[in-house]
Amino acid sequence: QVQLVESGGGVVQPGGSLRLSCAASGFTFSSYGMHWVRQAPGKGLEWVAFIRYDGSNKYYADSVKGRFTISRDNSKNTLYLQMNSLRAEDTAVYYCAKDPGTVGYMDVWGKGTTVTVSS
Amino acid sequence: DIQMTQSPSSVSASVGDRVTITCRASQGISSWLAWYQQKPGKAPKLLIYAASSLQSGVPSRFSGSGSGTDFTLTISSLQPEDFATYYCQQANSFLALTFGGGTKVEIK
């Protein structure tokens, strides 16, 4: 079945870095755009970044632009989010999600991985 | 960025009730709108896309309508499994996808 599994979350100090991974299975990963979406504790959903199916275009929320980098390895069916210069306000559950085309919706979600930025 | 405003922020309803949630965009987004359901501790689930298209596997008691700036999600007859938080999301521009603040549907 279609599945997304995030990993790489943890506790990191302010200013530190972390790389999240999202392993995809059950569909042709190289044919679909992918998103990262986050949710701070007790808060709503915030879109973080999107990458086209072939990695040719990437888009970011203003809140993470210049600090986060989305990438993908289609040979490994894996999506990544490199997070640098982390701040307390980046503390959240991070979800990867599949786009059904290149339309901006999210039709399949992973269970999420938790990132905590704290000293 | 396009701001998405949902109302109400919470609603108390009983099983069998008709529930309507509204979402307003700060500028026109045509029909580039989705609705998601999220239960505590779980990932969101896509219910409606393109404002009114029902995602595969979603019960027909869920429906969406609207275009431009004003949208609604309707649950025609609330079921016990529908108690959750609902979010709208605009997909008008990949430069900044945005979600509404959420509407929590609680048991009356």
Side-chain angles (χ1 to χ4, degrees), chain A residues 81-98:
Chain A
L81 185 68
Q82 177 66 44
M83 304 185 296
N84 298 330
S85 303
L86 283 161
R87 307 166 179 166
E89 54 265 35
D90 296 319
T91 294
V93 175
Y94 284 74
Y95 298 100
C96 65
K98 170 184 164 289

Side-chain angles (χ1 to χ4, degrees), chain A residues 35 37 39 43-47 50 59-62 65 95 99-112, chain B residues 1 31-34 36 38 41-46 49-51 55 87 89-91 94-101:
Chain A
H35 300 268
V37 177
Q39 187 168 36
K43 301 298 184 182
L45 301 169
E46 180 187 17
W47 171 78
F50 170 81
Y59 303 93
Y60 299 92
D62 285 345
K65 205 171 293 183
Y95 298 100
D99 193 296
T102 304
V103 290
Y105 306 129
M106 299 117 196
D107 66 344
V108 179
W109 295 66
K111 293 184 177 181
Chain B
D1 291 4
S31 295
W32 292 102
L33 186 101
Y36 301 87
Q38 187 180 33
K42 301 295 186 182
K45 173 186 174 183
L46 177 65
Y49 62 94
Q55 174 69 357
Y87 294 93
Q89 178 238 325
Q90 65 83 15
F94 274 101
L95 295 179
L97 303 177
T98 47
F99 289 88

Side-chain angles (χ1 to χ4, degrees), chain A residues 8 10-20 38 63-64 67-68 81-92 94 115-118:
Chain A
V11 180
V12 61
Q13 293 187 338
S17 298
L18 212 55
R19 188 177 83 155
L20 306 184
R38 69 184 181 182
S63 58
V64 307
R67 300 187 299 122
F68 289 12
L81 185 68
Q82 177 66 44
M83 304 185 296
N84 298 330
S85 303
L86 283 161
R87 307 166 179 166
E89 54 265 35
D90 296 319
T91 294
Y94 284 74
V115 172
T116 302
V117 184
S118 173

Side-chain angles (χ1 to χ4, degrees), chain A residues 3-47:
Chain A
Q3 192 172 11
L4 298 170
V5 179
E6 303 93 338
S7 61
V11 180
V12 61
Q13 293 187 338
S17 298
L18 212 55
R19 188 177 83 155
L20 306 184
S21 299
C22 170
S25 60
F27 65 101
T28 305
F29 179 72
S30 59
S31 295
Y32 294 94
M34 296 293 296
H35 300 268
W36 285 100
V37 177
R38 69 184 181 182
Q39 187 168 36
K43 301 298 184 182
L45 301 169
E46 180 187 17
W47 171 78

